[in-house]
Amino acid sequence: MEEHIRQLLQTYTRHELSVPGRRLAAVLLPLYQHNGDYGLIFTRRADTVLYHRGQIAFPGGGHEAHDVSLQHTALRESAEEIGLQPAHVRVLGQLDDLLTTGSNYLVRPFVGVIPYPYPFVLDPRETASIIEVPLTWLRQHNPAAPEQRYHDGRLVQSFFFDYHEHVIWGATAKIVKQFLDLLVPEL
């Protein structure tokens, strides 16, 4: 399946955005294999971070001047947030850029395969916990359309994945949705 995903991502026509005034950021979709199924690693952001406190996200963050590329940003931030070393990630490709509301980021998502289990080391200033979600579960709960829902006291329109006590929504859910929809013919 890894090779199939790599080929899909290499031949897929990505939408790369260039929006003046937006901060650049990148995230990593850490894909792992366990018990014959694949899954994705998510983080629950610490309550002390500036943006998206307590939300479910992929490891990643803002592009810095010394980053040679947005892929480098995703890998560097993953190492800082969860201790995932860049040498342990096989990047398969990237998904569409997307814009965040509120935090004003242009985000580029990268998909990478990691070993499992992995000895994550969380930076408690940024990451409260790791969440492993099987692709089988995500496929079965892939929403057909965005919905309106009250979240944190406000009405939002988003895709929602309710995994146990965790709610994956917003930009992270859009990224998951795009990844699942891209994989649909194979899965």
Side-chain angles (χ1 to χ4, degrees):
M1 184 161 142
E2 289 174 36
E3 188 52 36
H4 178 73
I5 293 171
R6 180 189 306 278
Q7 289 176 3
L8 278 175
L9 293 173
Q10 297 303 316
T11 58
Y12 172 72
T13 303
R14 294 177 301 280
H15 296 99
E16 291 187 1
L17 302 173
S18 176
V19 181
R22 290 284 184 146
R23 293 193 55 212
L24 297 177
V27 297
L28 178 68
L29 284 69
L31 184 67
Y32 66 92
Q33 185 176 18
H34 178 63
N35 290 336
D37 193 9
Y38 283 83
L40 289 172
I41 298 291
F42 295 85
T43 65
R44 187 172 69 75
R45 296 185 47 84
D47 292 329
T48 56
V49 295
L50 184 58
Y51 295 112
H52 313 295
R53 290 181 183 108
Q55 292 183 9
I56 308 306
F58 289 114
H63 180 74
E64 295 181 1
H66 61 83
D67 291 337
V68 297
S69 66
L70 283 171
Q71 179 176 311
H72 180 264
T73 301
L75 296 173
R76 176 187 52 75
E77 286 282 343
S78 295
E80 291 174 8
E81 292 177 8
I82 62 173
L84 179 59
Q85 296 307 304
H88 298 158
V89 180
R90 287 188 316 277
V91 175
L92 302 179
Q94 71 184 57
L95 298 168
D96 291 344
D97 291 352
L98 73 147
L99 304 175
T100 63
T101 57
S103 57
N104 202 36
Y105 279 102
L106 184 158
V107 180
R108 182 163 298 160
F110 292 88
V111 179
V113 176
I114 65 169
Y116 186 89
Y118 194 84
F120 295 111
V121 178
L122 308 186
D123 178 346
R125 294 170 299 174
E126 297 191 62
T127 306
S129 61
I130 295 283
I131 302 149
E132 300 175 6
V133 183
L135 275 184
T136 300
W137 186 92
L138 289 166
R139 278 195 344 249
Q140 291 169 350
H141 297 86
N142 189 6
E147 62 180 280
Q148 285 193 339
R149 188 189 285 191
Y150 279 96
H151 188 75
D152 291 337
R154 63 187 172 97
L155 186 63
V156 296
Q157 183 166 339
S158 179
F159 294 105
F160 289 90
F161 295 86
D162 295 300
Y163 184 70
H164 301 299
E165 72 275 12
H166 306 291
V167 179
I168 303 166
W169 68 286
T172 302
K174 287 178 188 175
I175 294 167
V176 172
K177 174 84 175 139
Q178 188 207 355
F179 184 59
L180 293 174
D181 289 351
L182 185 66
L183 296 180
V184 163
E186 172 64 19
L187 298 175

